[in-house]
């Protein structure tokens, strides 16, 4: 059946964040919760789609995060508020108030990192006064005070050179109020997009599209719609 985390106040975490969703969870609904005063490595508020050793190689299909108040949380290696990793597929984040969260990495309010299958939607949220650490010494940190959308870039151990990024999958950001957020030492106080396309373009380099002009982007390339 469908699992729900509904109507709780969740606070006081010092390591795991408020809610931690690994992978292989189908149609989980997280709604009507107050998530405040938590700290976590992956995220301060909600971390979803993290595959640990021994977990099934299955994405969280159709995750819904709706109507929560997520505030005053802190992420050390991930988002302050909500972190969406690559083991999610077709998530919906809507009607949340995400405010006053802090990240030492990317995504003060919300971060989508990695290749998520399906159509992923962030809509009708209030993303207010979130912050990325100013003066971050971590490589590539400090981007996306409000929302960060990006892929995972790996390093070839033999050459030390970056491997083409995975891309992010398809993401739509619509109808949100994004205000008063700070990107301390990086880019994108409101929204930062970094590596939305990657391996999808490398594997399909030809601009071949059966649709008539002016629709010229190949349908097998990932799209970020704002």
């Amino acid at each position: 059946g469908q699992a729900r985390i509904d109507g709780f106040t969740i606070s006081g975490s010092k390591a795991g964040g408020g809610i931690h969703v690994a992978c292989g969870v189908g149609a989980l609904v997280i709604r009507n919760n107050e998530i405040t005063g938590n700290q976590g490595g992956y995220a301060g508020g909600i971390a979803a789609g993290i595959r640990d050793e021994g977990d099934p190689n299955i994405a969280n299909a159709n995750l819904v995060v709706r109507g929560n108040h997520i505030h005053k949380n802190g992420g050390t290696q991930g988002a302050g508020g909500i972190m969406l990793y690559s083991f999610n597929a077709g998530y919906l984040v809507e009607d949340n108030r995400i405010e006053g969260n802090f990240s030492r990495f990317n995504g003060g309010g919300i971060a989508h990192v990695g290749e998520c299958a399906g159509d992923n939607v962030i809509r009708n949220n209030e993303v207010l006064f979130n912050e990325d650490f100013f003066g971050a010494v971590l490589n590539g940190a400090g981007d996306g005070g409000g929302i960060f959308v990006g892929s995972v870039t790996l390093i070839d151990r033999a050459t030390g050179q970056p491997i083409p990024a995975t891309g992010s999958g398809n993401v739509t950001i619509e109808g949100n109020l994004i205000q008063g957020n700070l990107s301390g030492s990086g880019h994108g106080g409101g929204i930062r997009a970094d590596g939305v396309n990657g391996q999808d373009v490398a594997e399909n380099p030809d601009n071949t599209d059966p649709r008539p002009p002016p629709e010229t982007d190949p349908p097998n390339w990932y799209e970020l719609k704002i």
Side-chain angles (χ1 to χ4, degrees):
Q2 188 177 28
R4 286 185 296 162
I5 301 173
D6 189 340
F8 292 93
T9 295
I10 301 172
S11 65
S13 170
K14 295 183 179 180
I19 297 175
H20 181 101
V21 183
C23 62
V25 181
L28 173 66
V29 176
I30 302 172
R31 69 180 187 186
N32 302 327
N33 301 288
E34 181 173 5
I35 303 171
T36 183
N38 300 286
Q39 177 179 297
Y42 291 111
I46 299 172
I50 302 97
R51 182 172 184 257
D52 293 322
E53 185 175 354
D55 287 345
N57 188 18
I58 303 171
N60 300 322
N62 304 317
L63 170 72
V64 175
V65 181
R66 176 185 292 130
N68 302 282
H69 187 194
I70 302 168
H71 61 113
K72 300 179 184 177
N73 302 287
T76 55
Q77 297 294 310
I82 301 174
M83 190 75 180
L84 300 154
Y85 283 89
S86 54
F87 277 85
N88 293 295
Y91 67 72
L92 173 62
V93 177
E94 69 175 356
D95 297 328
N96 301 282
R97 187 176 181 92
I98 303 161
E99 61 178 344
N101 300 288
F102 182 84
S103 172
R104 288 185 63 244
F105 206 68
N106 295 321
I110 302 172
H112 166 126
V113 177
E115 183 181 14
C116 293
D119 293 321
N120 304 284
V121 180
I122 300 170
R123 72 183 179 203
N124 298 341
N125 302 282
E126 295 180 335
V127 184
L128 309 172
F129 305 109
N130 302 285
E131 181 179 347
D132 289 326
F133 177 50
F134 183 81
V137 296
L138 300 172
N139 184 30
D143 288 345
I147 300 174
F148 175 89
V149 177
S151 61
V152 176
T153 301
L154 303 175
I155 302 299
D156 189 318
R157 292 177 181 243
T159 65
Q161 298 300 311
I163 301 170
T166 59
S168 66
N170 295 312
V171 182
T172 298
I173 300 172
E174 63 179 357
N176 303 280
L177 174 62
I178 303 170
Q179 185 175 35
N181 302 286
L182 173 65
S183 176
S185 58
H187 304 281
I191 300 173
R192 168 64 163 163
D194 181 24
V196 171
N197 298 101
Q199 197 64 35
D200 56 323
V201 176
E203 293 175 355
N204 302 278
D206 295 330
N207 193 14
T208 303
D209 190 347
R211 295 174 293 177
E215 300 291 342
T216 57
D217 293 329
N220 47 13
W221 288 8
Y222 297 139
E223 293 182 332
L224 170 62
K225 299 178 181 179
I226 302 175

